[in-house]
Amino acid sequence: PTAPDQRAIPLDPNFAMAYAGRGTDDSNLGETGLAAENLKKAYDLRDRVSEREKFDISSHYEQLVTGDLLKANQVYQLWAQTYPRDDVPPNNLGIDLYSLGQYDQALAAMRRALELEPASGSRYENLTAAYVYLDRLDEAAAIFQQAKAQGIDSPLLHLNRYSLAFLQGDTATMAREAAWGSGKPGIEDVFLDMQADTAAYAGQLAQANDLTARAVASAEQAGEKETAAVYQAEAALREALIGDAAQARQQAAAALKISNGRDTEFAAAVAMAIAGDAAQAQKLSDDLAKRFPEDTVAQFTYLPTINAAIALAQNTPAKAIADLQAVSPYELGQPAVTISLNFYPVYVRGLAYLASHQGAQAAAEFQKILDHPGIAFNEVIAPLAHLGIARSRALSGDKPGARKAYQDFLALWQHADATIPVLKQAKSEYAKLQ
């Protein structure tokens, strides 16, 4: 059926809240370009709406059009003060705080949102996510049980249950939740992408790429073009990290043919830089800077990370380290809309310290990733962080520590594809330590 806001707009082209509703729906599907178009129309018509609706439109405009999360949060805070029984501002504030890496504050906001709207599936979704991000897994499980006891269900609750099961090593529940999502338009692709990340986490890149191809096809079939592109770009980033530069460049180019959304350009640019194509990465960086001048994530996370990766490709690690200083306040945040692209500034900084022969500093960066499993989750940089620590300790002359870290990495990748370049390198490096 057609959404109410889609039916309303032809009847009243100046119906601001219809554009706002459509924009929010587009954003929830990961279609940020379409979301921005509709929310801009709503913002231009905001003089026609009530005070509460102005808060709604203005906050979403800053959050999803300009991308200025600090301004958006100011609006959410004022909205909450003006309408203290409204559950929307604390919920949306919490989502922004995830992006900024402020998880304790986000948890408080999500608790408040659920308190105000205890029958909402989305409020349970976001509260369980907050507990997972903070590695408070027992409390996350308790919220799942609370939702179940009240008969509350939603797709993202199933997705969060998969995430919790991964962190608990519960493969049976992971399989059950993935099966639940199979064949459901608009959610199947999310589960397929999640499974692709899980396969890559274990070093099974062939399986990961097959699952990504299915995720891309499913997203395109559901009309989610930008989401399909970011899945493809994520695959390019994986290939770059595991050392297959040709595949990385090929998949990045394929992603950009589908869409040039913000998250897609970031993942493609970092993939290109790590794969040695600094010139193409610089073009993407320049485009991001031009298109998203006020966007908090683009300006303070994505651009510094891309520029640092370019500096590494150009063998100037000191510049890479300097470029990443701007990211420090937000480096634990979750920048992407539909996929997990967490900790890339930290990982690239670790690589930069390695390249500049600063073993202790490099190890500290990779350890940040391992210290936050609820945020790193099933991203391939999590197992690769063990390898980064191994190389860092070897560089510092700590052979026992290096051997232990190599063993940790090789144990995680004991069933990995044997042809992966970085795995071959790791095995060779480990053998030399014996």
Side-chain angles (χ1 to χ4, degrees), residues 405-418:
Y406 275 113
Q407 290 163 4
D408 291 340
F409 170 68
L410 295 172
L412 286 171
W413 275 27
Q414 59 183 311
H415 301 300
D417 300 343

Side-chain angles (χ1 to χ4, degrees), residues 85-102:
R85 301 303 302 170
D86 195 330
D87 65 301
V88 174
N91 180 75
N92 292 6
L93 175 63
I95 291 171
D96 278 2
L97 293 171
Y98 291 157
S99 298
L100 299 173
Q102 298 172 12

Side-chain angles (χ1 to χ4, degrees), residues 97-388:
L97 293 171
Y98 291 157
S99 298
L100 299 173
Q102 298 172 12
Y103 296 102
D104 288 320
Q105 297 95 314
L107 174 62
M110 294 310 184
R111 281 174 169 166
R112 176 61 176 160
L114 181 60
E115 176 187 323
L116 292 168
E117 187 49 76
S120 169
S122 69
R123 303 305 178 251
Y124 278 97
E125 293 164 8
N126 292 329
L127 184 55
T128 56
Y131 281 121
V132 168
Y133 298 148
L134 288 165
D135 302 309
R136 294 165 63 171
L137 305 187
D138 289 343
E139 289 161 287
I143 298 297
F144 281 119
Q145 290 304 315
Q146 184 179 334
K148 185 177 180 180
Q150 297 188 36
I152 293 172
D153 194 18
S154 73
L156 287 183
L157 274 173
H158 286 272
L159 194 68
N160 289 351
R161 188 71 189 86
Y162 180 100
S163 302
L164 178 62
F166 174 85
L167 294 168
Q168 294 174 324
D170 182 354
T171 56
T173 297
M174 291 167 63
R176 184 174 66 248
E177 296 299 342
W180 179 89
S182 180
K184 293 180 171 66
I187 190 64
E188 176 186 62
D189 61 286
V190 184
F191 276 99
L192 287 168
D193 177 67
M194 187 76 79
Q195 291 172 279
D197 285 342
T198 298
Y201 183 96
Q204 296 165 1
L205 268 294
Q207 181 183 359
N209 287 335
D210 176 66
L211 287 161
T212 291
R214 291 169 58 193
V216 169
S218 181
E220 289 184 320
Q221 193 170 18
E224 298 169 7
K225 184 177 178 182
E226 190 171 336
T227 300
V230 82
Y231 292 157
Q232 191 73 62
E234 183 184 24
L237 192 48
R238 287 197 305 257
E239 293 292 345
L241 292 169
I242 60 96
D244 193 333
Q247 273 294 314
R249 291 192 293 268
Q250 181 179 326
Q251 295 205 37
L256 293 166
K257 284 182 180 178
I258 301 172
S259 171
N260 68 338
R262 185 197 68 175
D263 298 341
T264 299
E265 281 203 333
F266 167 71
V270 175
M272 290 286 194
I274 294 174
D277 192 344
Q280 182 61 28
Q282 187 63 60
K283 289 180 182 178
L284 294 171
S285 177
D286 293 343
D287 188 57
L288 273 174
K290 181 179 179 181
R291 290 168 57 208
F292 301 98
E294 300 176 68
D295 189 294
T296 305
V297 167
Q299 294 296 323
F300 294 103
T301 299
Y302 283 175
L303 288 170
T305 305
I306 296 168
N307 294 335
I310 292 170
L312 275 179
Q314 296 172 337
N315 198 30
T316 54
K319 181 181 182 302
I321 294 166
D323 286 336
L324 288 166
Q325 288 179 354
V327 190
S328 294
Y330 310 116
E331 64 186 21
L332 300 184
Q334 305 195 46
V337 176
T338 55
I339 64 169
S340 182
L341 289 174
N342 309 335
F343 279 122
Y344 279 88
V346 175
Y347 188 80
V348 172
R349 190 186 293 117
L351 295 179
Y353 278 126
L354 270 181
S356 60
H357 305 288
Q358 299 181 64
Q361 292 88 338
E365 296 301 317
F366 295 123
Q367 189 63 46
K368 288 179 188 176
I369 298 171
L370 302 183
D371 286 343
H372 298 87
I375 304 171
F377 185 44
N378 62 349
E379 290 187 68
V380 71
I381 60 170
L384 291 176
H386 288 284
L387 179 58

Side-chain angles (χ1 to χ4, degrees), residues 358-360 391-398:
Q358 299 181 64
R391 289 170 167 170
S392 303
R393 290 176 177 166
L395 183 64
S396 299
D398 178 8

